[in-house]
Amino acid sequence: MRDVADIADFIAHNPRMMRCLAVLAAHGPAGAWIGAGFVRNAIWDHLSGLDTEATPLADLDVVFHDPAIATAAQDAGIEAALSIAAPDLPWSVRNQARMHERNGHHPYRDVADALIHWPETATAIAARLGPKGVEILAPFGVDDVLEMILRPTPAFRKKPEIPLARLEAKSWLTRWPGLRVVWLCDSA
């Protein structure tokens, strides 16, 4: 894989990923994406020569941005609808129009703005089915995910303990020994 088009093609040829995206497109909120490990893990598994469908999905991080959906209960309702449509999938729905409150940030303008506040650049990636097929959203680009680089986003450069804790808790170096960890921490 070399670029966004290759990632979209990779997902389009992965039956499990396409099923998840199709269920979301049919039963989820307008404009929703599935992000984080859903995309990152599949790419890193592929690049590491692992079966991209063998590893169970820990969760499906569904993200969307709709200021009219104002409560966590409404997110839970969307999650329940997705669970009815595909009860075997681990849905986790979060309206990014509200997540800034939990994270202590200014309101996010859209899903891309929310993704730049995620811990690692390779995690700040999402996919969805659009009118022309698989669409990819990657506000930091795709180089880090394709080069198997784990680097904090600018929002986490002064908080390296969070990405480091995630690295350890999720056993990423065990799962992907070729992963390169790059910590560019601001000293100020």
Side-chain angles (χ1 to χ4, degrees):
M1 282 188 264
R2 297 178 319 263
D3 56 23
V4 169
D6 287 346
I7 293 172
D9 185 62
F10 166 73
I11 292 171
H13 287 91
N14 182 304
R16 179 170 74 172
M17 295 181 86
M18 285 302 292
R19 176 176 174 251
C20 296
L21 294 177
V23 170
L24 178 63
H27 302 282
W33 303 80
I34 304 176
F38 173 73
V39 179
R40 180 201 61 225
N41 293 0
I43 292 170
W44 287 354
D45 281 350
H46 174 75
L47 294 174
S48 300
L50 302 172
D51 181 348
T52 59
E53 293 195 26
T55 304
L57 295 168
D59 60 5
L60 293 173
D61 292 304
V62 173
V63 292
F64 68 103
H65 190 279
D66 186 346
I69 297 176
T71 68
Q74 289 171 296
D75 287 359
I78 294 166
E79 197 170 295
L82 290 166
S83 293
I84 289 168
D88 59 315
L89 296 176
W91 301 103
S92 175
V93 177
R94 300 291 181 269
N95 183 356
Q96 300 302 297
R98 276 192 349 275
M99 294 308 292
H100 69 283
E101 296 165 356
R102 182 183 89 172
N103 298 328
H105 299 144
H106 293 291
Y108 304 145
R109 294 180 306 277
D110 52 28
V111 173
D113 189 33
L115 264 58
I116 68 170
H117 293 89
W118 286 11
E120 306 92 16
T121 55
T123 301
I125 186 168
R128 71 178 177 192
L129 282 181
K132 296 182 180 181
V134 176
E135 297 177 348
I136 303 297
L137 179 63
F140 294 107
V142 296
D143 290 347
D144 283 357
V145 73
L146 292 175
E147 294 172 18
M148 293 187 67
I149 294 173
L150 190 68
R151 162 190 345 259
T153 62
F156 281 83
R157 285 194 186 138
K158 291 184 180 179
K159 302 180 250 178
E161 66 281 359
I162 294 171
L164 284 170
R166 287 170 45 83
L167 173 69
E168 185 169 327
K170 295 174 181 276
S171 301
W172 285 339
L173 289 173
T174 301
R175 183 170 176 182
W176 303 293
L179 184 63
R180 292 182 291 150
V181 179
V182 177
W183 300 115
L184 301 172
C185 301
D186 294 335
S187 58

